[in-house]
Amino acid sequence: MYKLLFNLLFKKMDPEKAHHLAFFWIRLAHSVPGLRSLVRAVLAPRDPKLRTAALGLDLPGPFGLGAGFDKNGIGIDGLSMLGFDYVEIGTVTGEPQPGNPAPRLFRLVEDRALINRMGFNNQGSARVAARLAARARTSNTPVIGVNIGKTKVVPEDEATADYLKSAKALAPYADYLVVNVSSPNTPGLRNLQAVQVLGPLLWDVRKAADEVTTHHVPLLVKIAPDLADEDIDEIADMALHLGLDGIIATNTTIGREGLRTPAARIEEIGMGGLSGAPLKARSLEVLERLRKRTEGRLTIVSVGGIETAEDAWQRILAGADLVQGYSAFIYEGPFWMRKLHKGLSARLRAAGYASIGEAVGKGIR
Ligand SMILES: Cc1cc2nc3c(=O)[nH]c(=O)nc-3n(C[C@H](O)[C@H](O)[C@H](O)COP(=O)(O)O)c2cc1C
């Protein structure tokens, strides 16, 4: 049914407009009490065996929605209604900003991929914090990750202050906090991945989060798939040294290899980060490298090209404590999580593990 809707409506629409329309429908469905319960009952049933603990949090399952879909935290409960086990909002920057000029989101349907150069369009840390503060939090509200990044107009050498502004505003409302230094769409951002710069930045964000909270808010860093293998090792070592809670791998790639979409079209689209199926192999490789280096001492969240339950299961066996996805949601639609949970549950039971946690890293060669 969603395939039909996608082909008849969304495929012909500008991708960013389609995103806003679909997200509006999700929030609308959640605002109608009877409909909300019905949708949740159909789309979000989970095998209790999928319950998992990571980052000191108790989650109904291992699969979250990656950052970028809900940049301002406006539809967290609607997304949870669709079955996502947790929702990472953002990237939120210190100051509000409009992002890059449109068009800035492109579909590569033949590749089951997207290219985006959104450029962190968001309402800024103060407004998003106020929205999160106004949410009633109960034991039923979903786990919320908050992903923070640098405001475009802030010079690179003042990046720390901008991250600290966001961390101070948002840490009190975050179940976990992510320092994003890996988007290709903010000039110079990825230079912050150099350990000499990243270490002090993460240290300062850790201190800032501790200053505004009475409990430990887990802190993670999100890295690019385009890093050299030695850089990945260096970041893993630094994360262990700093006592960071985890690493999210990976963001989108600037690479364009192995695509089915004609080269002329790729050229026409221009700059941006590529996500979806073409990212699958590299994202898995980065996960395997991180796991080998950290030997289970850090929480690893794997994201990039996960489309099916089998993909997610392979990531868990390769050492991912949690997984996330974004692009496949666009192509698979609202039944995606239902399918994924069913498939994961079947695999977990067939393999004879008592829990997801028990399966983590069991496939390491
Ligand atoms: C349109 C779009 C916007 C995104 N925005 C962000 C963002 O603001 N912050 C971030 O850390 N990642 C962002 N991402 C990256 C995703 O969170 C994810 O890391 C990446 O897309 C790989 O996963 P996927 O192949 O399942 O899409 C964005 C991705 C897409 C497609």
PDB file of all heavy atoms in Angstrom, residues 250-274:
ATOM      1  N   THR A 250      27.370   5.456  11.203  1.00  0.00           N
ATOM      2  CA  THR A 250      28.016   6.647  10.700  1.00  0.00           C
ATOM      3  C   THR A 250      26.990   7.660  10.203  1.00  0.00           C
ATOM      4  O   THR A 250      25.832   7.330  10.005  1.00  0.00           O
ATOM      5  CB  THR A 250      28.913   6.323   9.472  1.00  0.00           C
ATOM      6  OG1 THR A 250      28.056   5.901   8.389  1.00  0.00           O
ATOM      7  CG2 THR A 250      29.924   5.280   9.748  1.00  0.00           C
ATOM      8  N   ASN A 251      27.522   8.844   9.914  1.00  0.00           N
ATOM      9  CA  ASN A 251      26.754   9.882   9.226  1.00  0.00           C
ATOM     10  C   ASN A 251      26.741   9.569   7.721  1.00  0.00           C
ATOM     11  O   ASN A 251      27.167   8.495   7.304  1.00  0.00           O
ATOM     12  CB  ASN A 251      27.393  11.250   9.511  1.00  0.00           C
ATOM     13  CG  ASN A 251      26.346  12.351   9.591  1.00  0.00           C
ATOM     14  OD1 ASN A 251      25.472  12.439   8.732  1.00  0.00           O
ATOM     15  ND2 ASN A 251      26.418  13.175  10.616  1.00  0.00           N
ATOM     16  N   THR A 252      26.292  10.508   6.912  1.00  0.00           N
ATOM     17  CA  THR A 252      26.255  10.328   5.454  1.00  0.00           C
ATOM     18  C   THR A 252      27.670  10.437   4.877  1.00  0.00           C
ATOM     19  O   THR A 252      28.577  10.951   5.520  1.00  0.00           O
ATOM     20  CB  THR A 252      25.371  11.413   4.811  1.00  0.00           C
ATOM     21  OG1 THR A 252      25.884  12.692   5.201  1.00  0.00           O
ATOM     22  CG2 THR A 252      23.934  11.310   5.276  1.00  0.00           C
ATOM     23  N   THR A 253      27.833   9.960   3.630  1.00  0.00           N
ATOM     24  CA  THR A 253      29.157   9.998   2.994  1.00  0.00           C
ATOM     25  C   THR A 253      29.212  11.050   1.875  1.00  0.00           C
ATOM     26  O   THR A 253      28.189  11.321   1.229  1.00  0.00           O
ATOM     27  CB  THR A 253      29.533   8.617   2.400  1.00  0.00           C
ATOM     28  OG1 THR A 253      30.773   8.718   1.698  1.00  0.00           O
ATOM     29  CG2 THR A 253      28.489   8.090   1.430  1.00  0.00           C
ATOM     30  N   ILE A 254      30.412  11.561   1.638  1.00  0.00           N
ATOM     31  CA  ILE A 254      30.576  12.443   0.479  1.00  0.00           C
ATOM     32  C   ILE A 254      30.937  11.615  -0.763  1.00  0.00           C
ATOM     33  O   ILE A 254      31.020  12.141  -1.863  1.00  0.00           O
ATOM     34  CB  ILE A 254      31.640  13.553   0.722  1.00  0.00           C
ATOM     35  CG1 ILE A 254      32.978  12.948   1.153  1.00  0.00           C
ATOM     36  CG2 ILE A 254      31.152  14.553   1.747  1.00  0.00           C
ATOM     37  CD1 ILE A 254      34.125  13.955   1.146  1.00  0.00           C
ATOM     38  N   GLY A 255      31.144  10.313  -0.583  1.00  0.00           N
ATOM     39  CA  GLY A 255      31.473   9.413  -1.698  1.00  0.00           C
ATOM     40  C   GLY A 255      30.277   9.231  -2.629  1.00  0.00           C
ATOM     41  O   GLY A 255      29.128   9.433  -2.243  1.00  0.00           O
ATOM     42  N   ARG A 256      30.554   8.831  -3.871  1.00  0.00           N
ATOM     43  CA  ARG A 256      29.480   8.618  -4.857  1.00  0.00           C
ATOM     44  C   ARG A 256      29.753   7.336  -5.639  1.00  0.00           C
ATOM     45  O   ARG A 256      29.255   7.187  -6.758  1.00  0.00           O
ATOM     46  CB  ARG A 256      29.418   9.801  -5.844  1.00  0.00           C
ATOM     47  CG  ARG A 256      29.062  11.161  -5.223  1.00  0.00           C
ATOM     48  CD  ARG A 256      27.600  11.229  -4.802  1.00  0.00           C
ATOM     49  NE  ARG A 256      27.225  12.577  -4.405  1.00  0.00           N
ATOM     50  CZ  ARG A 256      27.249  13.034  -3.150  1.00  0.00           C
ATOM     51  NH1 ARG A 256      27.640  12.238  -2.167  1.00  0.00           N
ATOM     52  NH2 ARG A 256      26.881  14.274  -2.865  1.00  0.00           N
ATOM     53  N   GLU A 257      30.470   6.386  -5.027  1.00  0.00           N
ATOM     54  CA  GLU A 257      30.864   5.186  -5.782  1.00  0.00           C
ATOM     55  C   GLU A 257      29.722   4.183  -5.896  1.00  0.00           C
ATOM     56  O   GLU A 257      28.895   4.074  -4.989  1.00  0.00           O
ATOM     57  CB  GLU A 257      32.061   4.481  -5.115  1.00  0.00           C
ATOM     58  CG  GLU A 257      33.371   5.227  -5.219  1.00  0.00           C
ATOM     59  CD  GLU A 257      33.521   6.271  -4.135  1.00  0.00           C
ATOM     60  OE1 GLU A 257      33.151   5.945  -2.993  1.00  0.00           O
ATOM     61  OE2 GLU A 257      33.949   7.399  -4.435  1.00  0.00           O
ATOM     62  N   GLY A 258      29.748   3.450  -7.010  1.00  0.00           N
ATOM     63  CA  GLY A 258      28.870   2.289  -7.176  1.00  0.00           C
ATOM     64  C   GLY A 258      27.386   2.597  -7.278  1.00  0.00           C
ATOM     65  O   GLY A 258      26.566   1.756  -6.919  1.00  0.00           O
ATOM     66  N   LEU A 259      27.043   3.788  -7.751  1.00  0.00           N
ATOM     67  CA  LEU A 259      25.620   4.132  -7.839  1.00  0.00           C
ATOM     68  C   LEU A 259      25.019   3.710  -9.179  1.00  0.00           C
ATOM     69  O   LEU A 259      25.703   3.712 -10.206  1.00  0.00           O
ATOM     70  CB  LEU A 259      25.438   5.643  -7.654  1.00  0.00           C
ATOM     71  CG  LEU A 259      25.880   6.207  -6.302  1.00  0.00           C
ATOM     72  CD1 LEU A 259      25.736   7.723  -6.280  1.00  0.00           C
ATOM     73  CD2 LEU A 259      25.081   5.581  -5.172  1.00  0.00           C
ATOM     74  N   ARG A 260      23.731   3.353  -9.172  1.00  0.00           N
ATOM     75  CA  ARG A 260      23.013   3.019 -10.411  1.00  0.00           C
ATOM     76  C   ARG A 260      22.489   4.277 -11.089  1.00  0.00           C
ATOM     77  O   ARG A 260      22.300   4.315 -12.293  1.00  0.00           O
ATOM     78  CB  ARG A 260      21.823   2.118 -10.091  1.00  0.00           C
ATOM     79  CG  ARG A 260      22.254   0.758  -9.666  1.00  0.00           C
ATOM     80  CD  ARG A 260      21.086  -0.224  -9.707  1.00  0.00           C
ATOM     81  NE  ARG A 260      21.540  -1.447  -9.088  1.00  0.00           N
ATOM     82  CZ  ARG A 260      21.067  -1.936  -7.943  1.00  0.00           C
ATOM     83  NH1 ARG A 260      20.078  -1.345  -7.330  1.00  0.00           N
ATOM     84  NH2 ARG A 260      21.572  -3.034  -7.434  1.00  0.00           N
ATOM     85  N   THR A 261      22.175   5.287 -10.292  1.00  0.00           N
ATOM     86  CA  THR A 261      21.666   6.550 -10.840  1.00  0.00           C
ATOM     87  C   THR A 261      22.705   7.105 -11.829  1.00  0.00           C
ATOM     88  O   THR A 261      23.897   7.114 -11.517  1.00  0.00           O
ATOM     89  CB  THR A 261      21.449   7.552  -9.681  1.00  0.00           C
ATOM     90  OG1 THR A 261      20.587   6.938  -8.729  1.00  0.00           O
ATOM     91  CG2 THR A 261      20.840   8.851 -10.160  1.00  0.00           C
ATOM     92  N   PRO A 262      22.251   7.547 -13.018  1.00  0.00           N
ATOM     93  CA  PRO A 262      23.204   8.025 -14.028  1.00  0.00           C
ATOM     94  C   PRO A 262      24.128   9.136 -13.500  1.00  0.00           C
ATOM     95  O   PRO A 262      23.683  10.005 -12.737  1.00  0.00           O
ATOM     96  CB  PRO A 262      22.300   8.571 -15.138  1.00  0.00           C
ATOM     97  CG  PRO A 262      20.986   7.899 -14.944  1.00  0.00           C
ATOM     98  CD  PRO A 262      20.862   7.595 -13.492  1.00  0.00           C
ATOM     99  N   ALA A 263      25.378   9.076 -13.921  1.00  0.00           N
ATOM    100  CA  ALA A 263      26.395  10.020 -13.440  1.00  0.00           C
ATOM    101  C   ALA A 263      25.978  11.470 -13.692  1.00  0.00           C
ATOM    102  O   ALA A 263      26.250  12.362 -12.876  1.00  0.00           O
ATOM    103  CB  ALA A 263      27.725   9.717 -14.113  1.00  0.00           C
ATOM    104  N   ALA A 264      25.286  11.700 -14.826  1.00  0.00           N
ATOM    105  CA  ALA A 264      24.880  13.074 -15.160  1.00  0.00           C
ATOM    106  C   ALA A 264      23.906  13.610 -14.107  1.00  0.00           C
ATOM    107  O   ALA A 264      23.955  14.785 -13.734  1.00  0.00           O
ATOM    108  CB  ALA A 264      24.228  13.094 -16.543  1.00  0.00           C
ATOM    109  N   ARG A 265      23.022  12.746 -13.626  1.00  0.00           N
ATOM    110  CA  ARG A 265      22.055  13.153 -12.596  1.00  0.00           C
ATOM    111  C   ARG A 265      22.780  13.445 -11.271  1.00  0.00           C
ATOM    112  O   ARG A 265      22.473  14.424 -10.587  1.00  0.00           O
ATOM    113  CB  ARG A 265      21.011  12.035 -12.420  1.00  0.00           C
ATOM    114  CG  ARG A 265      20.030  12.231 -11.288  1.00  0.00           C
ATOM    115  CD  ARG A 265      19.106  13.435 -11.508  1.00  0.00           C
ATOM    116  NE  ARG A 265      18.281  13.717 -10.330  1.00  0.00           N
ATOM    117  CZ  ARG A 265      17.982  14.924  -9.888  1.00  0.00           C
ATOM    118  NH1 ARG A 265      18.413  16.004 -10.528  1.00  0.00           N
ATOM    119  NH2 ARG A 265      17.231  15.092  -8.830  1.00  0.00           N
ATOM    120  N   ILE A 266      23.748  12.606 -10.951  1.00  0.00           N
ATOM    121  CA  ILE A 266      24.513  12.793  -9.712  1.00  0.00           C
ATOM    122  C   ILE A 266      25.241  14.142  -9.773  1.00  0.00           C
ATOM    123  O   ILE A 266      25.261  14.905  -8.810  1.00  0.00           O
ATOM    124  CB  ILE A 266      25.536  11.634  -9.513  1.00  0.00           C
ATOM    125  CG1 ILE A 266      24.802  10.295  -9.398  1.00  0.00           C
ATOM    126  CG2 ILE A 266      26.439  11.864  -8.315  1.00  0.00           C
ATOM    127  CD1 ILE A 266      23.890  10.158  -8.194  1.00  0.00           C
ATOM    128  N   GLU A 267      25.798  14.409 -10.944  1.00  0.00           N
ATOM    129  CA  GLU A 267      26.509  15.670 -11.159  1.00  0.00           C
ATOM    130  C   GLU A 267      25.570  16.860 -10.984  1.00  0.00           C
ATOM    131  O   GLU A 267      25.892  17.854 -10.343  1.00  0.00           O
ATOM    132  CB  GLU A 267      27.068  15.655 -12.594  1.00  0.00           C
ATOM    133  CG  GLU A 267      27.847  16.878 -12.957  1.00  0.00           C
ATOM    134  CD  GLU A 267      29.340  16.563 -13.095  1.00  0.00           C
ATOM    135  OE1 GLU A 267      29.776  15.502 -12.647  1.00  0.00           O
ATOM    136  OE2 GLU A 267      30.024  17.394 -13.664  1.00  0.00           O
ATOM    137  N   GLU A 268      24.383  16.709 -11.546  1.00  0.00           N
ATOM    138  CA  GLU A 268      23.373  17.770 -11.504  1.00  0.00           C
ATOM    139  C   GLU A 268      22.948  18.052 -10.047  1.00  0.00           C
ATOM    140  O   GLU A 268      22.746  19.199  -9.661  1.00  0.00           O
ATOM    141  CB  GLU A 268      22.167  17.286 -12.321  1.00  0.00           C
ATOM    142  CG  GLU A 268      21.057  18.282 -12.506  1.00  0.00           C
ATOM    143  CD  GLU A 268      19.850  17.612 -13.197  1.00  0.00           C
ATOM    144  OE1 GLU A 268      19.708  16.374 -13.160  1.00  0.00           O
ATOM    145  OE2 GLU A 268      19.055  18.341 -13.746  1.00  0.00           O
ATOM    146  N   ILE A 269      22.828  16.994  -9.250  1.00  0.00           N
ATOM    147  CA  ILE A 269      22.431  17.164  -7.842  1.00  0.00           C
ATOM    148  C   ILE A 269      23.502  17.950  -7.091  1.00  0.00           C
ATOM    149  O   ILE A 269      23.199  18.861  -6.325  1.00  0.00           O
ATOM    150  CB  ILE A 269      22.180  15.787  -7.169  1.00  0.00           C
ATOM    151  CG1 ILE A 269      20.911  15.150  -7.739  1.00  0.00           C
ATOM    152  CG2 ILE A 269      22.077  15.932  -5.652  1.00  0.00           C
ATOM    153  CD1 ILE A 269      20.669  13.708  -7.297  1.00  0.00           C
ATOM    154  N   GLY A 270      24.751  17.589  -7.307  1.00  0.00           N
ATOM    155  CA  GLY A 270      25.855  18.335  -6.693  1.00  0.00           C
ATOM    156  C   GLY A 270      26.189  17.876  -5.290  1.00  0.00           C
ATOM    157  O   GLY A 270      26.023  16.706  -4.938  1.00  0.00           O
ATOM    158  N   MET A 271      26.621  18.824  -4.448  1.00  0.00           N
ATOM    159  CA  MET A 271      27.164  18.506  -3.126  1.00  0.00           C
ATOM    160  C   MET A 271      26.095  17.955  -2.180  1.00  0.00           C
ATOM    161  O   MET A 271      24.917  18.245  -2.341  1.00  0.00           O
ATOM    162  CB  MET A 271      27.694  19.792  -2.490  1.00  0.00           C
ATOM    163  CG  MET A 271      28.701  20.523  -3.339  1.00  0.00           C
ATOM    164  SD  MET A 271      30.290  20.431  -2.618  1.00  0.00           S
ATOM    165  CE  MET A 271      30.086  21.632  -1.310  1.00  0.00           C
ATOM    166  N   GLY A 272      26.562  17.239  -1.177  1.00  0.00           N
ATOM    167  CA  GLY A 272      25.654  16.743  -0.144  1.00  0.00           C
ATOM    168  C   GLY A 272      26.102  15.402   0.389  1.00  0.00           C
ATOM    169  O   GLY A 272      27.082  14.812  -0.093  1.00  0.00           O
ATOM    170  N   GLY A 273      25.415  14.927   1.391  1.00  0.00           N
ATOM    171  CA  GLY A 273      25.747  13.638   2.004  1.00  0.00           C
ATOM    172  C   GLY A 273      24.840  12.560   1.447  1.00  0.00           C
ATOM    173  O   GLY A 273      23.627  12.727   1.355  1.00  0.00           O
ATOM    174  N   LEU A 274      25.455  11.447   1.070  1.00  0.00           N
ATOM    175  CA  LEU A 274      24.727  10.305   0.512  1.00  0.00           C
ATOM    176  C   LEU A 274      24.389   9.332   1.650  1.00  0.00           C
ATOM    177  O   LEU A 274      25.253   8.994   2.469  1.00  0.00           O
ATOM    178  CB  LEU A 274      25.613   9.626  -0.535  1.00  0.00           C
ATOM    179  CG  LEU A 274      25.136   8.311  -1.138  1.00  0.00           C
ATOM    180  CD1 LEU A 274      23.966   8.537  -2.095  1.00  0.00           C
ATOM    181  CD2 LEU A 274      26.286   7.609  -1.872  1.00  0.00           C
TER     182      LEU A 274
END
